[in-house]
Each structure stands twice: as C-alpha cells, then as structure tokens.
C-alpha cells in the first residue's frame, strides 16, 4: 500500500467512498466526523477528484450548506453529471444540508433534487437502464427516479432504518 493523499487538506481525512467515471476520473468522498451544524471546521466532510490515478487530488466545492457527503454516483452516459447523497447536519429546521444534489457540470454547480429525506447514504444507477436511479437512506426509506434524478418517488414497503445502498440485479 502507498499513501496517495497529495492535495487532500482535511486533518485526519475519513475516506468513505470512491467512484470512478467512464473517462478515468476518480472521485473520493470524505465523510464528516461529527453531527454538528458548523460548516468550515476540521470535521467537515469533503469531495475530491483525481485525474492522475490518485497521485494528486483536487477539492470540489460542495453545495452550499452541505458538509456531510455520504455517496457519489457518476452518470454512466455523461461523466460530468454527478449525483451526491448527503447526510444532514444536527441543526434545527427542515433542511440541514442533507438529501440528493445534482451537478450537470462535474461539480461546479449543484441543485437539490431530493430534500424530503435528509439522511441519504447513496445513489445507484441501473446499468441496464441509465435513466433509472435509486437512493437509500436512514429515514426508513428508499427512493426511485425514472428521469435521471430530476424527480424522486418513495419506494413503498421499505419501512426499516439504516438502508445503505440499493443494488440493482444486473439480470432483471
């Protein structure tokens, strides 16, 4: 094993998830280290990308108000289209930075596409049907999108907590 963290600025980074796009860009999700509501301290989560096989990392700006990324899905047809799952901060109010965020331009801009579930772990794309996306969350829920993440519908019958990821059967 060789340490490959040049460019990662977080103190004690908590590497959580890696994603690879069709063009060879590698994405790294660093999980947040606390449930606090502050943004901008050493416990924030982060998102990085590497275009040189992890030799160097470049930080990607998270959506405003988000410091708890938990998963990233790169669209199979368009490597610039990113789906970010996020875990809310422990602050009062309905929106604490959690849900699902969509970037059409490789992480330069973001917009919220699902905020009804503020504790989303991950987003999965159906390889056989790339318009279909699934998301799983802590709040006794799983979600489905039929339009590449533009709108989301709750999947009925998922009534248990700690859903981490939907895995699509490649044969059916």
């Amino acid at each position: 094993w060789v340490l490959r963290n040049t460019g990662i600025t977080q103190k004690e980074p908590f590497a959580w998830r890696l994603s690879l796009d069709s063009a060879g860009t590698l994405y790294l999700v660093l999980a947040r280290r606390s449930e606090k509501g502050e943004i901008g301290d050493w416990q924030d989560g982060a998102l990085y990308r590497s275009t040189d096989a992890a030799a160097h990392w470049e930080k990607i700006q998270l959506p405003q108000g988000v410091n708890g990324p938990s998963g990233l899905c790169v669209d199979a047809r368009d490597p610039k289209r990113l789906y970010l799952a996020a875990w809310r901060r422990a602050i009062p109010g309905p929106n604490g930075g959690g849900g699902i965020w969509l970037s059409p331009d490789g992480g330069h801009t973001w917009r919220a596409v699902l905020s009804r579930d503020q504790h989303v772990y991950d987003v999965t794309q159906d390889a056989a049907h790339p318009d279909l996306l699934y998301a799983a969350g802590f709040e006794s829920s799983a979600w489905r999108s039929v339009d590449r993440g533009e709108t989301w519908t709750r999947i009925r019958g998922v009534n248990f907590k700690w859903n981490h990821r939907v895995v699509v059967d490649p044969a059916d």
Side-chain angles (χ1 to χ4, degrees):
W1 294 98
V2 176
L3 186 61
R4 306 281 287 217
N5 65 354
T6 301
I8 296 175
T9 60
Q10 271 68 11
K11 175 184 171 185
E12 300 177 16
F14 187 0
W16 184 253
R17 179 76 39 96
L18 290 169
S19 299
L20 181 66
D21 77 13
S22 60
T25 299
L26 186 61
Y27 292 89
L28 170 64
V29 173
L30 297 182
R32 183 178 59 212
R33 289 198 166 268
S34 87
E35 292 302 307
K36 295 181 182 178
E38 295 89 6
I39 290 184
D41 68 12
W42 74 272
Q43 296 182 349
D44 281 352
L47 179 61
Y48 285 86
R49 101 175 105 230
S50 174
T51 57
D52 59 6
H56 301 89
W57 293 95
E58 168 195 9
K59 192 171 189 178
I60 298 172
Q61 186 67 40
L62 290 171
Q64 184 173 356
V66 174
N67 75 346
S70 56
L72 183 76
C73 177
V74 182
D75 190 277
R77 289 185 301 208
D78 179 1
K80 296 281 187 203
R81 190 174 179 92
L82 307 176
Y83 307 97
L84 179 71
W87 191 268
R88 78 170 277 127
R89 300 181 321 279
I91 60 171
N95 190 345
I100 299 175
W101 300 80
L102 171 64
S103 174
D105 55 13
H108 295 287
T109 62
W110 296 95
R111 65 182 164 88
V113 291
L114 176 68
S115 60
R116 290 173 288 165
D117 190 335
Q118 284 282 296
H119 296 97
V120 179
Y121 278 115
D122 211 356
V123 178
T124 305
Q125 188 172 38
D126 184 334
H129 307 281
D131 287 349
L132 292 178
L133 297 167
Y134 298 91
F138 173 77
E139 313 220 6
S140 302
S141 60
W143 301 87
R144 181 175 189 242
S145 173
V146 297
D147 56 8
R148 294 179 71 206
E150 296 294 334
T151 59
W152 294 86
T153 305
R154 185 165 180 206
I155 298 172
R156 295 178 56 165
V158 179
N159 299 316
F160 47 91
K161 289 191 179 277
W162 294 103
N163 298 303
H164 279 262
R165 176 181 251 180
V166 174
V167 177
V168 179
D169 182 334
D172 183 9

